[in-house]
Amino acid sequence: MHRISILGPKGHSFSVVTAGEGPVVFLLHGFPLDHRLWESQLSSLSSEYRIVCPEFRGFGATPISEDETYSLGDLADDVELLRRHLAANERITLVGLSMGGYVALEYWSRYAEHLSGLVLTNTKPNADDAAAKQGRLAMADEVLRTNRNDVVRGMLDKLLPTDVARDTRVQAERMMLDTSPRAIAVAQRAMAGRRDFTEQLDEIDIPTLVLTGEMDQLAPVDSTRDWAAHIPGARFVSIGQCGHLSPLERPQEFNAALTQFLN
Ligand code: MLT
């Protein structure tokens, strides 16, 4: 497993953690997390695949500058820039968890020709309603005003079931608290302004796997099953005893579902 840094045309530098050789699988993390969400996939799946975990602007070791803002479409363009660097002549499988799933749908809408498969995990295709947008903008304002990131601690109980293994909880909390107030604010504003893909699901014509956890409060199993049914031929998998962070909480089950899909 190694970390590389890739320079973009506008002076951006992107941190990517990668491992293995073989067909290329990009794993896009959720909010407010980083490549460590995918530790088990980096170690277990890299014997057969080239696993590529980009870190979005401001997350992990990818910097974000003082006045920078972005849309989720910009993050999809970043992913394409990385694909051109790392897998120029290949089609990739793109896996996105939650915010990573929003970016994966943006990527599909722009660059479907470069995809051999799409995996949408613990995520949803719809945009926010007014109250959810308001909540995000309020969090963005608060973290910038206080210059503190500990408000994200309040998200932990929504991301993970109460009886989750202590190590998993500690690991998730560590990633969240390693995320800067600026990164949190900019990502919340970008998610508040994200597009709604609900009406386009039936246009997805590449092999797709939709996954969620049976205890996921943010991507509940029933609504996820319902929207997945609009994607032609999509497989749907729900993982038992699992909340929002399925690759971290239930790596064996998650890896089995992903490997079966990839094969
Ligand atoms: C995530 O896990 O990426 C976030 O929960 C997404 C969101 O806030 O909608």
Side-chain angles (χ1 to χ4, degrees), residues 13-252:
S13 113
F14 299 99
S15 163
V16 178
V17 176
T18 176
E21 290 299 331
V24 182
V25 183
F26 270 57
L27 306 176
L28 306 182
H29 64 77
F31 166 90
L33 307 167
D34 56 45
H35 86 275
R36 287 172 286 180
L37 174 69
W38 306 113
E39 245 157 34
S40 153
Q41 290 68 42
L42 278 159
S43 62
S44 300
L45 304 181
S46 54
S47 54
E48 282 184 69
Y49 300 96
R50 183 170 186 202
I51 304 295
V52 178
C53 302
E55 293 181 316
F56 293 132
R57 300 186 204 182
F59 295 87
T62 296
I64 188 163
S65 57
E66 191 51 31
D67 299 318
E68 190 174 335
T69 61
Y70 57 71
S71 68
L72 297 188
D74 294 330
L75 298 188
D77 291 343
D78 294 345
V79 173
E80 172 56 8
L81 177 113
L82 301 177
R83 188 203 60 84
R84 287 204 306 269
H85 270 268
L86 297 167
N89 302 315
E90 280 174 73
R91 295 205 297 162
I92 62 170
T93 299
L94 187 59
V95 181
L97 179 134
S98 202
M99 179 173 103
Y102 311 154
V103 176
L105 282 168
E106 280 287 351
Y107 186 95
W108 163 77
S109 77
R110 291 161 189 238
Y111 306 110
E113 69 276 18
H114 299 310
L115 289 178
S116 55
L118 181 63
V119 181
L120 301 169
T121 183
N122 305 86
T123 191
K124 47 190 182 278
N126 54 289
D128 285 345
D129 61 19
K133 261 187 199 146
Q134 209 45 50
R136 291 193 195 277
L137 300 178
M139 185 194 277
D141 289 347
E142 185 186 342
V143 291
L144 289 181
R145 183 178 55 77
T146 59
N147 199 29
R148 294 176 65 103
N149 65 1
D150 41 1
V151 61
V152 293
R153 258 205 193 102
M155 286 178 65
L156 259 182
D157 290 337
K158 282 205 176 134
L159 298 187
L160 296 170
T162 41
D163 60 353
V164 73
R166 201 183 132 64
D167 283 359
T168 307
R169 197 180 164 89
V170 167
Q171 209 175 345
E173 186 172 25
R174 192 175 299 137
M175 278 188 265
M176 294 166 86
L177 293 176
D178 282 346
T179 306
S180 72
R182 168 144 294 276
I184 291 165
V186 175
Q188 283 288 36
R189 287 174 180 163
M191 286 193 282
R194 75 184 185 277
R195 286 167 67 191
D196 194 317
F197 284 97
T198 315
E199 298 300 320
Q200 283 168 270
L201 293 174
D202 61 0
E203 295 166 27
I204 299 180
D205 62 356
I206 44 175
T208 300
L209 169 66
V210 177
L211 249 144
T212 198
E214 280 177 4
M215 296 161 85
D216 190 331
Q217 298 180 46
L218 302 175
V221 70
D222 289 341
S223 57
T224 306
R225 188 187 291 108
D226 287 350
W227 65 255
H230 291 274
I231 303 177
R235 285 189 209 176
F236 172 73
V237 172
S238 68
I239 300 180
Q241 293 294 307
C242 183
H244 191 58
L245 304 184
S246 52
L248 190 69
E249 290 174 57
R250 296 275 161 210
Q252 276 186 350

